[in-house]
């Protein structure tokens, strides 16, 4: 089942009638999200399915991420569970490029977006492999492995490194935050 997509302009015009679900990590969500968006990271989507079904029964769902890739995956998984949802074309990146407002929690330190975390990790691993390769030539395989992973990531539009980084503590939702979000969607 194909999911629908809304452009930033379409979503902005209908924002008052949509329930927005942001599937980015809590750190990315804290860096700025659509007004009134609920944060349910993609890897916690299954736990929230009953609440999302209830919310979808009340009105249309809009699923959002940074670029649209994770939200498309979330919409596919929701469709498999019988829940209709739309994705935001181009994600929050496209939303902000068009000048639409985003909300940031007051008093929070803005964590790095996942894409920036991936660049730091990949660059650090490649550099480590090259430097260590001067002493032990076999260490250069680390750099080759990261390069191969980046090529695979580009070809498949997936990112294994982002999946790993999403498991770090600063990228994980606090249980009480996720529970509060699920309760809000259920009510």
């Amino acid at each position: 089942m194909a999911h629908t997509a809304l452009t930033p302009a379409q979503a902005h015009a209908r924002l008052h009638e949509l329930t927005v679900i942001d599937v980015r990590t809590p750190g990315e969500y804290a860096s700025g999200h659509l007004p009134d968006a609920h944060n349910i990271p993609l890897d916690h989507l299954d736990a929230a399915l009953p609440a999302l079904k209830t919310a979808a029964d009340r009105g249309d769902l809009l699923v959002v991420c940074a670029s649209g890739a994770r939200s498309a995956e979330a919409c596919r998984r929701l469709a498999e569970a019988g829940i209709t949802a739309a994705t935001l074309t181009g994600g929050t990146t496209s939303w902000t490029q068009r000048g639409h407002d985003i909300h940031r929690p007051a008093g929070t330190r803005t964590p790095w977006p996942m894409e920036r975390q991936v660049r730091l990790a990949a660059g650090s691993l490649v550099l480590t492999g090259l430097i260590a390769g001067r002493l032990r030539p076999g260490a250069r395989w680390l750099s080759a492995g990261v390069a191969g992973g980046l090529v695979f990531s580009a070809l498949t539009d997936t990112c294994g490194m982002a999946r790993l980084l999403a498991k770090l503590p600063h990228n994980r939702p606090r249980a009480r935050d996720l529970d509060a979000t699920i309760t809000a969607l259920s009510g």
Side-chain angles (χ1 to χ4, degrees):
M1 176 186 294
H3 61 271
T4 58
L6 297 178
T7 65
Q10 292 169 324
H12 188 262
R14 295 187 52 207
L15 198 57
H16 65 282
E17 65 187 55
L18 298 170
T19 299
V20 181
I21 308 299
D22 192 319
V23 295
R24 298 176 298 158
T25 66
E28 292 174 291
Y29 175 81
S31 70
H33 54 271
L34 272 66
D36 300 321
H38 300 276
N39 185 220
I40 300 179
L42 185 60
D43 58 346
H44 288 81
L45 194 66
D46 292 339
L49 285 176
L52 291 168
K53 174 80 171 115
T54 300
D57 289 344
R58 286 193 307 266
D60 294 336
L61 298 182
L62 176 65
V63 183
V64 178
C65 69
S67 68
R70 285 178 282 179
S71 60
E73 166 68 13
C75 284
R76 183 191 62 74
R77 289 171 51 189
L78 290 171
E80 288 173 358
I83 302 169
T84 302
T87 185
L88 178 64
T89 304
T92 56
T93 301
S94 184
W95 178 268
T96 56
Q97 286 173 345
R98 280 155 185 79
H100 300 305
D101 287 338
I102 59 170
H103 290 202
R104 289 183 179 92
T108 58
R109 198 174 118 237
T110 303
W112 285 6
M114 184 57 67
E115 179 264 336
R116 186 174 179 191
Q117 292 179 48
V118 168
R119 286 189 319 216
L120 175 67
S124 297
L125 289 170
V126 168
L127 190 58
T128 299
L130 291 174
I131 291 171
R134 294 182 56 92
L135 300 173
R136 294 194 174 265
R140 290 188 185 128
W141 284 105
L142 174 62
S143 299
V146 172
L150 291 171
V151 169
F152 179 80
S153 175
L155 293 174
T156 62
D157 198 23
T158 62
C159 188
M161 189 174 292
R163 288 184 193 263
L164 289 173
L165 291 171
K167 297 187 182 313
L168 293 174
H170 65 276
N171 286 326
R172 306 292 302 161
R174 294 184 303 215
R176 67 176 182 269
D177 293 342
L178 186 59
D179 290 344
T181 299
I182 290 172
T183 300
L185 290 170
S186 297

